[in-house]
Amino acid sequence: MKIDVLLGLQWGDEGKGKIVDVLTPDYDVVARFQGGPNAGHTIEFDGKKFVLHTIPSGVFNPGCINLIGNGVIIDPLILQAEIKKLVQSGIDVTKNLFISRKAHLILPTHRLMDAAQEASKGAAKIGSTLKGIGPTYTDKIARNGIRIGDSCLENFKSRYELQRTRHLKLVKDLDFDYSSYKIDGQDFDAYEKQWLSALEFIKSLQLVDSEYFINEQLAAGKRILAEGAQGTLLDIDFGSYPFVTSSNTTSAGVCSGLGIAPNKVGEVLGIFKAYCTRVGSGPFSTELFDEDGELMRKQGNEFGSTTGRPRRCGWIDLPALKYAVMLNGVTALFMMKADVLDSFERLKLAVAYRYKGEVITHLPFDACTQELEPVYEELPGWKTTLQDMKSANDLPQALQDFIRFIEDYVNVPVKLVSTGPDRLQLIRM
Ligand code: IMP
């Protein structure tokens, strides 16, 4: 058996949660391999809406095992709140939830450091979700981190104190007055108290040596889906650095984030929106500042599911999509939110960039500091509502042409088209 991978090909928020939820009946295990509660995977069904931050999206399927892998970083308080909310909605989460002992902890002081570092950057800030992602991964790489498994060891308290003291000094050095800073609406001391109590709760869950766990599942012939968070263009190595997140969001992250060998990776399912969005800072060459962008934001409800921030909106960027397909080895594409473009007369697709007097189709190294002016191809819009369409044959010709254009550009077939937020609004091509 092989592990299939599902990940975002743009700047996150492509609609991965919905697709994982739809695909889970085909899988026995869903595993998160990177990122943390900066993610917000939205799933809607039966008129209810859920946003998952740390828990894999297979949780709504009673038979599905959900694994939080070693590459994920965990804030116990956020995870506990997520579990409580699901339990209140009648979803028995904990029975099928397994957590890697090697997953690193986001400490309350990591949250402070994130805020202090962002504030110190001024106009050059990353636009972080302020969930402590950068500082936690920094400590992991610098070999200062504390893992979930470490919290069960005798020396946990002293290690925690050591990091806490070090972090508070760093925060002070950045002239950040944390006494007036609120973490998720709370003072630091109150947050820390609850965090420590939430950690006790997390320790009572099923902690595993996840690299063995997942390889045993594989050997037992179980079908496994690795669920990516954020998107390829936010990858720490290949995204628009430094305006990126701090993990490998590409398929390469599956191996290090779960402990599986590269030859165990099967299908790579790439999710993209029929247009583009981005939250936070960083280059976005097809970004719109006019009424078209406003319409996308309104129709697509493009507001961050973790932070509530309005998302920047723009036309689809095909050189960037092709780059993402290349990096991940994408074998099938899923196109999301086609319905958001229902009322557009004309649609634009970036096919190249003007850069330093040349026309190029690759992403240059200095894409963050040099202007990339998009070269567009225009296609007619379909000008009809897709919401109630049930099969590929129903799709208007203009949408079929739009899809064909993308497929020809990136050389991978579009297998699913999403036409609305509900799990049923999905057309198999
Ligand atoms: P961080 O990962 O919270 O440090 O944020 C770094 C950058 O990635 C910021 O621009 C965030 O807005 C962006 N980002 C982080 N997580 C997500 C996500 O799940 N969806 C979309 N953007 C994200």
Side-chain angles (χ1 to χ4, degrees), residues 11-13 38-40 126-129 133 230 234 244-245 279-280 309:
W11 285 288
D13 310 313
N38 48 348
I126 308 291
S128 162
T129 59
I133 306 298
Q230 291 80 53
L234 289 171
V244 291
T245 191
V279 274
R309 292 179 288 181

Side-chain angles (χ1 to χ4, degrees), residues 11 232-244 323 327 368:
W11 285 288
T232 299
L233 303 177
L234 289 171
D235 182 271
I236 183 74
D237 282 284
F238 301 109
S240 44
Y241 193 89
F243 302 103
V244 291
Y323 179 66
L327 291 171
C368 281

